[in-house]
Amino acid sequence: MKRITWTIGELAQHTGLSVKTIRYYSDIGLLPMAERSGGGHRRFEPEALEQLRLIQRLRALDTPIATITEVATGERGIGDLVADELGLVQRKLTELRWREATLRALDECSGPERLRRLEVLARVQRLPEAHGDLVHSWQRTIPSSIPARLVDRIIAQAVPDPPGDPTAETALAYAELHALTAHPQFPVYWVCPNVRDKASLYSALLDASDLADVLVAAGEPPQPGEALDRFSVACARSRHENDTPGFRTFMGAQLRGTIPLFQRYWQHVATLSGQPGPNLGITHCWLVEALTTSTGVGSLSDGGPQVAFQV
């Protein structure tokens, strides 16, 4: 029986592709080709028609020729191609959503504030790298003597993922986190230069925050109580001092000067999470507020010493 093959013209007629295009696909090895005719013309295997239709469908999805070649040669399956292309499209959509939110954040203001936002937002246009940079900032900031479990607990709350569908507000909040961690005063609150056993201090402060969490969640104002006592005792012991009224006044004055930067950071985290209830940093700030107001040092927002940072 005579073997059935296709001429390049017949393939062009059945697919609507030009002879030039089919010749190109043949030259790069995408089509199964039979022997040439006696006159030297190309003859194609019957499978070439289905192969061309597959190529047409993939090209309709803007699939690159290099990728189509991998499918045609069996290096990749269509399922793998679809999964990879879907991931690529999703990444592009995320980049476009982020760019839109960034532009809206800049469009909502003018003058010096627009220039400030531009500087801040420029830090986070490469999202995977930006997230990694934020994690590394915290890893460098938290003292190396802190146990990994405590570091992980802090970073889990302190480093939110970039918003997948950002608004102008959340895009700006995420960018502000990067600006705050880059500020030279940011590590000051965490270094605890006068504390030797930083691991014990961190653990005790986290325990105090856990006690205060219920009060903060209930909307209670900063106030004396067991949580504040636990907080103050932890600070006193870390400095080998007693938890006296004089010590509380001293600590209130110290913390009041360094906490505003820290406080703003966690307010931005709350904006990004969009979840009800306090986070670790807001609870900690509540305890500091309770300490400063109960000792007469004053509220954190009453015009006292502030870290000079416009965020």
Side-chain angles (χ1 to χ4, degrees), residues 132-147:
D133 290 344
L134 197 56
V135 171
H136 294 151
S137 294
W138 277 90
Q139 290 173 336
R140 290 192 302 267
T141 296
I142 299 173
S144 59
S145 60
I146 306 301

Side-chain angles (χ1 to χ4, degrees), residues 222 248-249 251-257 259-260 263 285-306:
R248 291 194 178 197
T249 299
M251 283 303 301
Q254 290 287 310
L255 294 174
R256 184 166 174 260
I259 197 69
Q263 189 176 40
C285 291
W286 186 95
L287 287 165
V288 175
E289 184 86 14
L291 180 66
T292 59
T293 54
S294 67
T295 58
V297 173
S299 169
L300 299 180
S301 57
D302 68 358
Q306 299 285 306

Side-chain angles (χ1 to χ4, degrees), residues 257-276:
T258 58
I259 197 69
L261 194 70
F262 175 88
Q263 189 176 40
R264 287 195 288 275
Y265 184 96
W266 289 94
Q267 288 169 344
H268 292 314
V269 171
T271 297
L272 286 161
S273 71
Q275 296 178 354

Side-chain angles (χ1 to χ4, degrees), residues 1-5 43:
M1 176 181 280
K2 186 176 180 180
R3 187 178 180 187
I4 298 175
T5 57
R43 304 290 301 187

Side-chain angles (χ1 to χ4, degrees), residues 102-123:
T102 296
L103 293 173
R104 289 190 183 282
L106 294 172
D107 188 51
E108 291 176 355
C109 59
S110 61
E113 174 60 14
R114 176 173 288 165
L115 292 176
R116 188 197 73 82
R117 289 189 181 188
L118 179 60
E119 179 182 359
V120 171
L121 287 160
R123 298 172 180 267

Side-chain angles (χ1 to χ4, degrees), residues 187-242:
V188 171
Y189 192 79
W190 299 87
V191 169
C192 312
N194 298 312
V195 177
R196 290 186 178 180
D197 188 0
K198 295 178 175 60
S200 295
L201 172 62
Y202 269 61
S203 181
L205 292 178
L206 289 173
D207 288 342
S209 291
D210 287 340
L211 282 176
D213 190 76
V214 175
L215 295 172
V216 180
E220 294 290 337
Q223 58 191 264
E226 183 182 0
L228 177 57
D229 292 343
R230 184 79 65 89
F231 177 83
S232 186
V233 167
C235 293
R237 286 179 177 172
S238 71
R239 300 171 68 95
H240 302 287
E241 298 188 36
N242 294 320

